[in-house]
Structure formats: structure tokens, C-alpha cells
Amino acid sequence: MMRSRFDEQLMKLNTELIELGAMIEYAIDSGAKALTERDLALAQRIMEYDREIDQKERDIESLCLKLLLQQQPVARDLRFISAALKMITDMERIGDQAADISELVLMMGATPHATELEHIPAMASAAIGMVKRAIDAFVARDSGMAGAVIEADDEVDALFDTVRQELAQLIARDPSCAMQALDLLMIAKYLERIGDHAVNIAEWVQFAVTGVHKGEERA
């Protein structure tokens, strides 16, 4: 009976993680949309939405601690819950960075963009895909899927390098665009960091499945 209740709570943890994942995916996507469409009202909503993400993270943390206290978990369960605790920290930081992007959009205001925004939305799309697949890998206990997320980070990094080069060229052509270019570069940097957090999540998925964390392998 006790184990049955424990398994139900583990399923609830899965569900809560999926919900938090959907929340941060929405925040990233909306931040990118607010940028491309210069939608300041949407940017403001995403900044406020970050409080809901923080609350969800606290709720999941509380659930994890209850699971640890409820019953002495077997090694596999302990890895799963420990990984979830690590993952939600990265997920909460992703929410923070989506809010930071929206804050920059507000600072930029309704001023027309000095350059075509092609690669920043592509970065946002790639980062969202990484986050989604990392969480799906956790739910499916799929180490191979997690490995594919880690490899996908190269695409986000390559896009960041492209954005950086394009913005440097923009500043060289028209120094009056420097402030906006720096804001756009910072947005791209936040998206790159979101990709890094997705990699962290994927590495914790691999730990949950295999019992080995990539960082330990490197040590």
C-alpha cells in the first residue's frame, strides 16, 4: 500500500515537471515573439508570469522532499528524485532568463529594429526544442534522447556566433545602432544560456537512468 502511494506521487512528479516544462517553453516562445513583434504588453506579461514559474518550482521541490521523507526510496527512486531537484533549478533559471529577455524588449521599446531578426528567433526555437526533449527524456527515462539534447547545443552555439558576427557588422556600418545591437546580443546570450541549462537537464536525466553524471566522468 505504501509503495503504491509512493508510485502515485512519482507519477505526480512527472506531471508537475511536464507542466513546468510547458510553462518555460511558453515563456521563451513569448519572449521571442514579443521581440520580433515589438509587443510590449506581452513582454510585460512574461515578466509577471515568471512569478508563477517560481511558485511551480517551489511546489515541485516540496513534492520531492515529501517523497524523500515518506519512504526510504530504493537507489533508482533516489536518483530520479535527486535528478528532479537538480532539474527544477535549471528550469527556474530558464524562466528567469525568459523574463530577462522580456525586460530587454521593454527597454528597447517600440523602436523599429535596425536589422532583420532571423537568427534570434531560430535560436529561441532551437532552445525550446532542447528544453522540451530534455523533459520528455526524463519522463521516458530515455538516456539516448537526453544525449541528443546535449548534441543539439552545438546548433544554438553556432547560431549565437552568427548573431554576434552580424551585430558586430551592424555596429561597424552604423554606430548609432550600437545600443540596440548590444541589447540584441544580450538577448542572444540569454538564449545561449537557456541551451546550456537544457544540457544540464539532459545530463541529470542520464544520471537518473544510468547512475552516472557526466561531470563525474570528467573528474
Side-chain angles (χ1 to χ4, degrees), residues 34 81 84 90 102 105-106 109 117 121-123 156 162 166 183 186 189:
I81 298 163
D90 279 292
S102 294
V105 172
L106 286 172
L117 297 182
M123 281 187 78
V156 175
T162 298
E166 289 176 346
D183 287 340
M186 185 60 71
K189 188 63 181 176

Side-chain angles (χ1 to χ4, degrees), residues 56-119:
K56 175 67 81 173
E57 187 260 347
R58 288 192 291 269
D59 291 345
I60 296 174
E61 182 180 43
S62 177
L63 176 58
C64 287
L65 295 176
K66 284 177 184 174
L67 281 164
L68 290 171
L69 293 171
Q70 229 175 53
Q71 173 180 323
Q72 189 64 39
V74 297
R76 185 183 65 252
D77 295 332
L78 188 58
R79 289 202 308 269
F80 175 80
I81 298 163
S82 299
L85 280 167
K86 295 290 188 179
M87 285 169 56
I88 59 173
T89 299
D90 279 292
M91 292 166 79
E92 188 270 335
R93 286 176 182 164
I94 289 171
D96 288 345
Q97 280 150 3
D100 290 338
I101 289 170
S102 294
E103 184 176 11
L104 281 168
V105 172
L106 286 172
M107 289 171 59
M108 291 166 69
T111 305
H113 295 135
T115 185
E116 190 71 30
L117 297 182
E118 177 186 353
H119 295 104

Side-chain angles (χ1 to χ4, degrees), residues 26-38 42 98 101-102 105 117 120-121 124-125 128 187 191:
Y26 169 75
I28 303 164
D29 185 56
S30 296
K33 182 179 179 183
L35 172 66
T36 55
E37 298 182 6
R38 295 195 293 280
L42 178 59
I101 289 170
S102 294
V105 172
L117 297 182
I120 290 178
S125 179
I128 290 167
I187 288 171
L191 290 168

Side-chain angles (χ1 to χ4, degrees), residues 3-13 67:
R3 181 68 210 188
S4 174
R5 172 67 177 158
F6 188 77
D7 287 341
E8 285 177 13
Q9 292 293 90
L10 283 177
M11 288 300 297
K12 178 176 170 58
L13 176 56
L67 281 164

Side-chain angles (χ1 to χ4, degrees), residues 8-217:
E8 285 177 13
Q9 292 293 90
L10 283 177
M11 288 300 297
K12 178 176 170 58
L13 176 56
N14 266 350
T15 302
E16 292 286 323
L17 282 166
I18 292 168
E19 289 178 3
L20 178 56
M23 291 172 76
I24 60 176
E25 288 162 29
Y26 169 75
I28 303 164
D29 185 56
S30 296
K33 182 179 179 183
L35 172 66
T36 55
E37 298 182 6
R38 295 195 293 280
D39 188 336
L40 304 187
L42 178 59
Q44 184 62 47
R45 286 199 300 275
I46 295 306
M47 287 186 64
E48 294 165 1
Y49 187 60
D50 188 47
R51 289 197 293 270
E52 295 180 38
I53 292 173
D54 291 346
Q55 183 59 54
K56 175 67 81 173
E57 187 260 347
R58 288 192 291 269
D59 291 345
I60 296 174
E61 182 180 43
S62 177
L63 176 58
C64 287
L65 295 176
K66 284 177 184 174
L67 281 164
L68 290 171
L69 293 171
Q70 229 175 53
Q71 173 180 323
Q72 189 64 39
V74 297
R76 185 183 65 252
D77 295 332
L78 188 58
R79 289 202 308 269
F80 175 80
I81 298 163
S82 299
L85 280 167
K86 295 290 188 179
M87 285 169 56
I88 59 173
T89 299
D90 279 292
M91 292 166 79
E92 188 270 335
R93 286 176 182 164
I94 289 171
D96 288 345
Q97 280 150 3
D100 290 338
I101 289 170
S102 294
E103 184 176 11
L104 281 168
V105 172
L106 286 172
M107 289 171 59
M108 291 166 69
T111 305
H113 295 135
T115 185
E116 190 71 30
L117 297 182
E118 177 186 353
H119 295 104
I120 290 178
M123 281 187 78
S125 179
I128 290 167
M130 287 177 68
V131 171
K132 186 178 189 313
R133 289 193 299 275
I135 295 163
D136 287 347
F138 184 74
V139 172
R141 313 287 196 275
D142 190 327
S143 181
M145 191 188 303
V149 171
I150 294 168
E151 291 175 5
D153 192 43
D154 289 343
E155 178 188 354
V156 175
D157 289 345
L159 283 166
F160 175 72
D161 288 340
T162 298
V163 170
R164 183 170 54 186
Q165 289 167 12
E166 289 176 346
L167 292 173
Q169 290 167 6
L170 173 64
I171 293 171
R173 286 196 312 271
D174 186 354
S176 69
C177 296
M179 188 59 70
Q180 189 187 86
L182 290 173
D183 287 340
L184 290 170
L185 181 61
M186 185 60 71
I187 288 171
K189 188 63 181 176
Y190 284 135
L191 290 168
E192 185 198 33
R193 287 177 185 168
I194 287 170
D196 291 341
H197 286 301
V199 168
N200 290 345
I201 293 168
E203 289 180 349
W204 284 112
V205 171
Q206 292 182 327
F207 167 77
V209 175
T210 66
V212 176
H213 189 266
K214 192 172 182 181
E216 293 172 356
E217 287 183 326

